[in-house]
Amino acid sequence: MSEKATMEKIVNLSKGRGIIYPGSDIYGGMGNTWDYGPVGVEIKNNIKKLWWKRFVQENPKTYGVDAAILMNSRVWDASGHTTSFSDPKMDCKCCKQRFRADVIIENHSKGQVNADNLSNEEMQEYIQQHHVCCPKCGNFDWTAIRQFNLMFETSRGTTDESQNKLYLRPETAQGEFVNFLNVQRTSRAKVPFGIAQIGKAFRNEITPGNFIFRTIEFEQMEHQWFCKEGDDQKFYEEYKQTALQFLLDLGIDKESLRFKDHDKLAHYAKAACDIQFKFPIGWQELNGIHNRTNYDLSRHQEYSGKSMLYMDPVTNEKYVPYVIEYSIGADRLMLAVLSHAYDEETLENGETRVVLRFIPAVAAYKVAVLPLQKNLSEKAREIYQRLSKEFMCDYDETGSIGKRYRRQDEIGTPFSLTVDFDTLETGKVTLRDRDTMQQQTLTVDEVIAYVNEKCKFN
Ligand code: ATP
């Protein structure tokens, strides 16, 4: 990854180039929310499409679902979220700002202390002993640490709200678990098989967000693999590799990724690890992979009263399947891809160009159509229309050609196509490569074949 990619540069580029804007911008923004602009929505959609291709389309044993965000509240009792999906929070009594105690400790110790392993009392003790002051106002006057549930509550809008409490889902996984029987029966699926989903999740995170790394509304891409006990660890190891390979194929290099086993396992988990990425803010979780045993289906069996037993059609054995969970945030992956692609290059003439070096499959626009002069617009628009039937294209006829190239480099467009007077006679155009800046002369049909080939993701 380019060391030049600071969070500030990425945020500014994103805002200035229509990738990502602050949420509710004209009202002064709203903490930890972001809106994707015309360029950003394309990049994020491409990331999701590539994920779906790899995990669903190319995997005949995985079935996709799109479950409701609002679920029966009993789901969250069964999953344990109503009782234990919380963070340790404390308030600064002087500036009234609320913080996560574990994050304060990890920042104070520069990552040396893993606060996940500490109880609230131990965290309190650390803060006292080390006299950790408020990061905002510098005072030392804290409330006690309290657990704070991360789920957003809402209600169904009938008279008695207490009986109709609902939650915005804090993860997409439960939509896959509650549909285990439906999918298994309707698809005549045999264990092992997978259920995948991409969808929004909501968490009342109070930690300052670090751009789209941690937001209160985000998208998850999740894959639950249902298998037999005994096969679980083999699949867990396999999924670690599949997860890593997907990130490498997205163009992220090995040096920016690493596995990190969880120090402390949830009581039901047999194994858990993260794939961490070297974000501009340091090494952080990008992707989680967990062996969740048969905990989830067993809990739903208990709370719903519906049997989750699967009968093996060959051996007639009956069992509640184990689950290997793979979960990655689409927005967090977008940040990883953006920061990894960011580069600054000094040109021969001494100028610096900013380039997002995405793989072509991720880029918002595959080709930018740039007429060299305004009176070539008609021909250029005709070519743009033709290419747009194949892939997303941009069209730009304002400013010098050098400036137009720079704009495309900054949003990562892999190819820029210029239309000149020769095009009117020969039908040939010039195609410039974003990275090498080399140019070649091609017919429009050749451009289509060339670009389609370069955008393949296998
Ligand atoms: P973290 O420790 O960073 O809070 P987590 O362990 O709670 O993450 P999971 O519940 O395992 O995360 O969620 C799976 C994935 O969803 C994470 O690896 C991350 O990519 C993404 N994710 C989780 N919380 C957020 C959030 N608030 N904003 C953006 N992405 C998130």
Side-chain angles (χ1 to χ4, degrees), residues 137-154:
C137 71
N139 285 302
F140 182 76
D141 194 5
W142 296 109
T143 61
I145 298 173
R146 280 162 298 146
Q147 288 303 125
F148 180 88
N149 198 295
L150 290 176
M151 285 199 292
F152 281 106
E153 288 178 14
T154 184

Side-chain angles (χ1 to χ4, degrees), residues 243-256:
L244 180 66
Q245 193 57 50
F246 175 68
L247 299 172
L248 296 173
D249 291 345
L250 274 187
I252 300 177
D253 60 41
K254 259 200 199 121
E255 290 64 43
S256 306

Side-chain angles (χ1 to χ4, degrees), residues 388-426:
S388 296
K389 294 201 183 299
E390 299 287 327
F391 28 72
M392 278 300 291
C393 296
D394 196 11
Y395 182 89
D396 188 4
E397 57 182 24
T398 51
S400 72
I401 190 67
K403 284 214 175 96
R404 282 183 274 166
Y405 282 149
R406 285 302 92 83
R407 275 204 289 268
Q408 296 303 329
D409 291 341
E410 287 180 6
I411 57 171
T413 308
F415 305 104
S416 290
L417 177 157
T418 44
V419 177
D420 57 24
F421 284 106
D422 284 348
T423 312
L424 300 178
E425 283 180 16
T426 63

